[in-house]
Amino acid sequence: MARYVDLHPVDPQPRLVRQVVEQLRDGALIAYPTDSGYALGSALDNRDGRDRILRIRGLDDRHHFTLMCRDFSQLGQFVHVPNAAFRVIKAATPGPYTFILPATPEVPRRLMHPKKRTVGVRIPDHPLVCALLEELGEPLLTSTLILPGETEARTMGWEVKEDLDHVVDVVLESGEVTAEPTTVVDLSGDEPEVLRHGAGDASRFE
């Protein structure tokens, strides 16, 4: 059974944040609210976490995982950011955007796209996620919680707990959540390519 943790939406309790981060370091898979729907998350060195996310979402190895980053400097450790992409990302973050970029050697190969050697990165605008990342001290391996057969991200913690009680370890609740997932923009090529229209305004990339 998954642990259910209710955190304050504006000022999440540090004691509870520390407890969740301890569980992440111990190999937990969490379901947590973001600024664009619920997501699944695990620590980068959790080898089982990636496979569990793929199973829950019904995805294959070509899925682009995302590293949820605390800030721009942390993001720059894990992806190569060309000058043109630098300006675009700076202008759009923090916010509901995921950017696909070439991974640096800091990213474990099992988390990269198998052929392109790219990975998704994003900087959230959500008090709880920012608190988790600050306490964790490294990015969170993450993927939007869209279940097989569904098109929108989950928004209700109690529903997530009900449906995923035996496949995740912790479910976090922290106020209202929008159903729209992130807007995904591939910046790994010569021109930006919008791969998914979501909560972020995609017109700036088109």
Side-chain angles (χ1 to χ4, degrees):
M1 262 177 81
R3 180 187 177 203
Y4 190 77
V5 185
D6 196 350
L7 296 109
H8 193 278
V10 177
D11 190 17
Q13 302 90 317
R15 178 180 59 85
L16 295 178
V17 170
R18 283 194 298 271
Q19 289 177 4
V20 173
V21 168
E22 284 170 11
Q23 289 186 270
L24 280 166
R25 289 179 177 140
D26 286 341
L29 178 65
I30 68 171
Y32 67 105
T34 77
D35 49 346
S36 55
Y38 262 78
L40 297 166
S42 77
L44 291 185
D45 62 357
N46 180 355
R47 300 189 70 85
D48 191 42
R50 167 193 175 277
D51 298 337
R52 291 173 70 185
I53 291 171
L54 290 177
R55 283 198 300 272
I56 290 168
R57 291 207 50 200
L59 299 169
D60 60 27
D61 285 345
R62 293 173 305 224
H63 173 64
H64 253 121
F65 277 97
T66 297
L67 306 183
M68 188 77 83
C69 297
R70 181 183 63 228
D71 52 30
F72 200 88
S73 64
Q74 189 178 70
L75 179 149
Q77 297 172 36
F78 291 87
V79 288
H80 297 288
V81 185
N83 287 337
F86 180 93
R87 291 190 294 274
V88 166
I89 297 170
K90 276 293 248 188
T93 57
Y97 296 92
T98 298
F99 300 102
I100 308 296
L101 286 159
T104 71
E106 295 288 318
V107 180
R109 288 188 64 165
R110 60 194 164 78
L111 306 183
M112 301 178 193
H113 188 281
K115 290 186 178 167
K116 299 178 182 178
R117 297 288 183 257
T118 49
V119 70
V121 285
R122 89 179 196 87
I123 302 170
D125 185 16
H126 191 283
L128 171 58
V129 187
C130 293
L132 288 172
L133 292 171
E134 186 68 35
E135 181 69 24
L136 185 62
E138 64 177 29
L140 193 61
L141 176 67
T142 196
S143 181
T144 305
L145 180 43
I146 302 174
L147 294 177
E150 298 181 357
T151 57
E152 289 190 329
R154 290 300 184 99
T155 62
M156 307 291 287
W158 65 269
E159 282 187 349
V160 173
K161 164 89 161 111
E162 204 169 74
D163 292 345
L164 301 182
D165 202 24
H166 297 288
V167 291
V168 301
D169 304 304
V170 186
V171 177
L172 306 184
E173 177 78 67
S174 188
E176 291 186 20
V177 181
T178 177
E180 275 194 293
T182 56
T183 292
V184 180
V185 186
D186 189 341
L187 296 175
S188 64
D190 295 332
E191 295 290 332
E193 181 184 358
V194 178
L195 302 183
R196 180 175 74 192
H197 289 78
D201 178 15
S203 63
R204 65 174 78 190
F205 307 107
E206 294 173 323

